[in-house]
Amino acid sequence: MPMETANMFNPASKVSKISHCSSMEQYKQMHDKSLKDPEAFWGEITKEFHFEEKVKGKFLDYNFDITKGKIFVRWLEGAKTNICYNCLDRHVLAGKGDQVAFYWEGNDPADAEVVTYGELLKDVCRVANVLKAKGVAKGDRVAIYMPMVKHLVVAMLAVARIGAVHSIVFGGYSADSLADRMMDAQASVLITADAVWRGPKLIALKEIADDALKLCSAKDLKVKMNLVVQHMNKVTAPQPASNGTAANGNVAKKTHFDDKGNFKVNWDPSVDVWWHEALSTVSSECDPVWMDTEDPLFMLYTSGSTGKPKGVQHTIGGYMLYTATTFKYSFDYHQGDVYFCTADIGWITGHSYVTYGPLLNGATSVLFEGVPTYPHTGRFWEIIEKYKVSKFYTAPTAIRALMKFGDEPVKKYDLSSLAVLGSVGEPINPEAWLWYYRVVGDSNVSIVDTFWQTETGGHVITPLPGATPCKPGSACFPFFGVDVALLDEEGREIKGEGEGYLVFCRPWPGMMRTVYGNHERFETTYFKKFPGFYCTGDGARRDSDGYIWVTGRIDDMLNVSGHLLSTAQVESSLVEHPSVAEAAAVARPHSIKGECLYCFVTLTEGNSFEDKLIAELKNKVRSKIGAFASPDFIQLAPGLPKTRSGKIMRRVLRKIAVGDKDFGDISTLADPSIVEKLFELRPKESKK
Ligand code: PRX
């Protein structure tokens, strides 16, 4: 072990002592083996899972070099399995049917439920039978738009059980976004819930889904069924705020509830089916469909630089091995641990590390419906104490938000059960890392800063909590099977210390296989810039000790509270407003969200820039994308800084957004005087 310093933290000894990987020597030896002999390394791991048929062809076959032909990746050719069977049946058959799979914790602390593996399996089979009865079969796409309830896990596993493909859309997306994704996937079924309380706010999911279904049917997408979970009658509504003002929820109660307090929904009997009614009429047994390992498991939409989201497609076998293995090693999971990941299943973190990774390991997890600050700012810590959570996984944006309330809300609770604390979604600033370590972890935990992407399926660069001495802010070293390189602009590899494009040299089992319906987009987005490499779109630095520091996106993507957005996506929403002729969006650093949106708009003739317009524009982005994408700043731009060839010089806009006059060389602009004008027009609130 190196000497512990202010910049280097050794793994907690209580973790190392029992760890699956307890030293850097062991990590290096396992990592070497995973690269030298992937078949031996991953072949050993396949033995832990049920494969109905063994590998018949090549264990791994791929092409990463676009100049040599089509990009493809295939693992475990010819083998057959079912991921739902491996998540549930395997454990139930081993006598673990009564083990807790999830402690469900509602938005309100009064709401909680315990779900065992055996119960999950029965409900999954029931939903699978409901889907089959509606004609859903292997390869069909099922859209899911749900809150963080057990039914969401049940729905995704039921889809996987019958070989269909799930496309989960985060419950914070708007009707437009849901419809776009359903159209792209040509989904034949939607699964949703009546509504959910998120903190004091009501999210009327069914109402939004109804609007989305109207948009779909206007474009000739026939949806056979909208399966609706009745959730509102089971949960506690928010109480009036303690300061006497009506909480947001009270307004919702007036408009969305009838006199008896029942939640109202519009019902279209030609598509709408209540979940509980449908489940009561079917069997709780359903044989799994044995699938090829390279058959699709799910698609999940992520932002694309063209503004049109892309359906990242993952396949069954490789994703199963990879999420299971990363979960086991990155969190050092052992039976008896209680694990809590705060991510929503609507994002990749929830797919891989709320559902698949934990269930494949037979783990016991907390499934949390609410938000970190409701009904008080100690909610996470209260839950950790209540369930004696030992492995906790959250995002830097949440850590920063909670840090603002000081140490006291943390210190109120007994968090001594904690052993491993994870971080994901964006680079974690050392200040937040240290607070997480010292205040939440009481300097007696291992921190894992896990770098990965929707596309990578699971962690690709991460410390191992029993082995890796950590430097706050560094994601440290590649996971097993991952071969990292840094390239300069010309594609030359940077060896040793240096900074460049973060790329991967070969496939690991959990990587995406294609963009749904558009393989060419997959090839151009990830493989065209540097033939022979998967390009992450992130920059990274390697220090003299070989530690990797991910520095953030180097494309036109921004990361708001750990959620990727493309500037193009935001700009195309803004220009839909009749008063906007042109728009440019850039990222501005934000103390809690990491980055926020700062937008420049050029108006069409005759329009004036007023508060009402600003509010309308913010709303436009909310309704096209979702509330989480709402811009923090919108400023008037009589013109945009463009080169003579018409390309917007975004680095200048980024400088204006933060009030920095150090613009660099602007001589190539068609009209350099616009820069000064834009600087003067910065909104007052942006100067704080
Ligand atoms: O820029 C990186 C950042 O998040 C991007 C991936 O976003 P998404 O596909 O939405 O998946 C988020 C959850 C896995 C990456 O390209 N990112 C994610 N984790 C880290 C990170 N940047 C630095 N450090 C991390 N630990």
Side-chain angles (χ1 to χ4, degrees):
M1 288 282 177
M3 244 228 328
E4 192 154 296
T5 66
N7 301 319
M8 176 82 93
F9 293 79
N10 285 328
S13 62
K14 67 179 178 191
V15 180
S16 302
K17 258 192 247 153
I18 53 160
S19 179
H20 298 300
C21 179
S22 56
S23 67
M24 281 308 279
E25 291 65 45
Q26 191 186 349
Y27 158 73
K28 281 187 189 130
Q29 179 248 322
M30 289 176 78
H31 186 252
D32 279 355
K33 179 175 173 185
S34 72
L35 296 189
K36 283 198 189 104
D37 195 350
E39 179 162 353
F41 184 87
W42 295 105
E44 197 53 36
I45 291 170
T46 59
K47 291 183 192 151
E48 294 167 29
F49 298 94
H50 176 82
F51 283 84
E52 186 69 4
E53 286 178 33
K54 302 271 172 275
V55 177
K56 288 191 203 68
K58 289 188 180 161
F59 196 89
L60 166 63
D61 196 11
Y62 73 99
N63 173 40
F64 257 26
D65 188 344
I66 200 165
T67 62
K68 295 200 175 121
K70 198 175 157 179
I71 303 292
F72 72 93
V73 172
R74 281 195 290 270
W75 286 86
L76 316 176
E77 208 174 313
K80 284 191 187 292
T81 189
N82 183 289
I83 196 167
C84 173
Y85 183 93
N86 278 293
C87 284
L88 302 178
D89 306 51
R90 196 164 52 96
H91 306 307
V92 173
L93 289 170
K96 285 174 57 178
D98 291 335
Q99 191 193 307
V100 176
F102 290 107
Y103 290 112
W104 179 75
E105 177 77 15
N107 181 61
D108 191 288
D111 301 331
E113 191 185 339
V114 175
V115 190
T116 66
Y117 275 86
E119 287 161 353
L120 259 189
L121 177 58
K122 282 195 176 141
D123 268 356
V124 164
C125 288
R126 291 187 183 105
V127 175
N129 284 327
V130 171
L131 293 173
K132 272 180 20 187
K134 273 285 166 191
V136 178
K138 181 174 168 175
D140 291 348
R141 276 81 51 216
V142 174
I144 301 179
Y145 183 64
M146 284 172 92
M148 285 288 282
V149 288
K150 67 171 181 186
H151 313 73
L152 170 50
V153 177
V154 168
M156 64 202 290
L157 292 176
V159 171
R161 190 167 189 86
I162 60 171
V165 180
H166 56 74
S167 168
I168 303 183
V169 180
F170 168 57
Y173 273 114
S174 65
D176 282 49
S177 290
L178 174 58
D180 282 351
R181 285 156 179 74
M182 289 184 67
M183 294 294 303
D184 187 78
Q186 291 288 293
S188 60
V189 164
L190 174 65
I191 308 181
T192 189
D194 48 4
V196 63
W197 293 110
R198 199 168 286 146
K201 287 195 199 134
L202 179 83
I203 318 285
L205 292 167
K206 168 82 166 68
E207 197 174 285
I208 302 168
D210 289 346
D211 289 343
L213 289 180
K214 274 186 216 128
L215 292 167
C216 290
S217 93
K219 291 194 177 153
D220 280 342
L221 175 68
K222 295 252 171 315
V223 172
K224 292 192 237 179
M225 172 172 68
N226 181 17
L227 188 62
V228 187
V229 173
Q230 191 172 34
H231 181 55
M232 293 305 277
N233 59 345
K234 299 194 187 66
V235 294
T236 310
Q239 301 308 308
S242 52
N243 59 9
T245 59
N248 194 330
N250 294 337
V251 181
K253 275 187 233 166
K254 286 205 186 94
T255 50
H256 284 87
F257 292 80
D258 67 18
D259 298 344
K260 294 193 188 100
N262 296 316
F263 186 74
K264 296 185 285 190
V265 283
N266 286 326
W267 204 253
D268 174 357
S270 68
V271 284
D272 293 335
V273 175
W274 282 119
W275 169 290
H276 57 279
E277 287 178 6
L279 263 66
S280 68
T281 61
V282 290
S283 155
S284 61
E285 282 176 19
C286 172
D287 287 339
V289 174
W290 299 113
M291 305 290 292
D292 282 335
T293 45
E294 283 298 333
D295 280 334
L297 171 63
F298 68 83
M299 53 227 261
L300 180 59
Y301 285 85
T302 182
S303 299
S305 49
T306 61
K308 186 177 159 12
K310 34 185 195 303
V312 167
Q313 189 167 301
H314 284 282
T315 56
I316 298 164
Y319 179 83
M320 176 169 92
L321 293 188
Y322 202 68
T323 51
T325 310
T326 46
F327 178 79
K328 173 175 167 184
Y329 284 95
S330 303
F331 301 118
D332 202 46
Y333 188 82
H334 297 269
Q335 286 298 310
D337 273 331
V338 177
Y339 162 83
F340 176 17
C341 168
T342 67
D344 194 287
I345 293 178
W347 307 110
I348 191 69
T349 305
H351 280 61
S352 300
Y353 300 113
V354 175
T355 300
Y356 289 111
L359 293 179
L360 287 165
N361 282 277
T364 295
S365 310
V366 175
L367 180 67
F368 179 42
E369 179 183 50
V371 296
T373 49
Y374 181 83
H376 56 78
T377 55
R379 192 72 201 281
F380 279 173
W381 325 126
E382 182 181 56
I383 296 173
I384 292 171
E385 180 184 87
K386 177 173 174 187
Y387 297 106
K388 299 199 170 35
V389 170
S390 47
K391 311 286 158 80
F392 178 66
Y393 195 27
T394 195
T397 182
I399 300 169
R400 286 191 299 262
L402 294 171
M403 247 172 96
K404 294 234 147 141
F405 302 108
D407 303 358
E408 190 261 341
V410 188
K411 294 295 172 201
K412 262 179 31 197
Y413 299 96
D414 175 6
L415 306 185
S416 58
S417 54
L418 288 172
V420 178
L421 301 179
S423 167
V424 59
E426 57 181 300
I428 179 166
N429 45 314
E431 195 196 352
W433 195 104
L434 290 169
W435 186 81
Y436 202 26
Y437 177 73
R438 293 196 174 126
V439 179
V440 180
D442 201 21
S443 305
N444 188 21
V445 291
S446 296
I447 302 264
V448 284
D449 173 6
T450 61
F451 167 84
W452 59 297
Q453 308 178 297
T454 304
E455 294 86 338
T456 68
H459 307 149
V460 277
I461 305 180
T462 179
L464 298 185
T468 317
C470 286
K471 299 188 184 189
S474 167
C476 298
F477 303 109
F479 192 75
F480 308 135
V482 177
D483 194 358
V484 170
L486 301 181
L487 303 182
D488 68 14
E489 189 61 53
E490 276 73 49
R492 286 180 300 242
E493 189 168 347
I494 302 164
K495 300 267 187 196
E497 249 184 289
E499 187 163 344
Y501 288 84
L502 176 66
V503 300
F504 299 124
C505 315
R506 61 169 93 192
W508 58 100
M511 74 174 289
M512 71 183 288
R513 302 295 197 262
T514 190
V515 168
Y516 180 77
N518 196 343
H519 194 69
E520 201 187 323
R521 192 167 176 203
F522 171 62
E523 297 182 323
T524 36
T525 310
Y526 306 101
F527 294 93
K528 198 163 168 194
K529 190 168 175 69
F530 301 117
F533 300 94
Y534 167 91
C535 185
T536 58
D538 284 297
R541 179 166 68 80
R542 190 190 290 109
D543 70 14
S544 54
D545 297 322
Y547 281 70
I548 310 267
W549 301 72
V550 178
T551 50
R553 304 294 304 188
I554 28 187
D555 49 16
D556 287 340
M557 228 61 102
L558 55 130
N559 193 323
V560 179
S561 303
H563 306 313
L564 274 194
L565 285 171
S566 74
T567 52
Q569 202 182 352
V570 177
E571 288 156 8
S572 69
S573 309
L574 290 169
V575 295
E576 277 191 16
H577 193 288
S579 306
V580 176
E582 206 176 1
V586 295
R588 170 180 146 131
H590 185 282
S591 64
I592 292 177
K593 299 181 191 177
E595 289 182 335
C596 70
L597 271 164
Y598 191 113
C599 305
F600 296 82
V601 290
T602 307
L603 302 185
T604 45
E605 278 298 304
N607 286 296
S608 54
F609 191 69
E610 291 160 356
D611 288 352
K612 182 167 163 282
L613 176 65
I614 297 175
E616 280 172 20
L617 292 176
K618 288 188 178 174
N619 261 333
K620 190 83 202 165
V621 180
R622 293 167 86 94
S623 73
K624 290 303 289 182
I625 305 173
F628 65 92
S630 184
D632 280 39
F633 304 99
I634 298 191
Q635 93 155 66
L636 178 66
L640 291 169
K642 289 184 184 167
T643 59
R644 281 179 202 94
S645 63
K647 198 170 164 10
I648 297 172
M649 211 182 257
R650 286 173 189 279
R651 67 174 169 79
V652 170
L653 294 178
R654 281 195 284 267
K655 290 277 183 186
I656 295 170
V658 293
D660 179 354
K661 279 199 155 181
D662 188 8
F663 300 123
D665 179 15
I666 52 170
S667 61
T668 54
L669 287 179
D671 172 15
S673 73
I674 192 67
V675 176
E676 202 48 54
K677 275 188 216 144
L678 288 175
F679 200 85
E680 278 161 26
L681 286 169
R682 283 179 310 133
K684 248 197 260 110
E685 63 279 14
S686 77
K687 295 178 188 162
K688 283 178 197 149

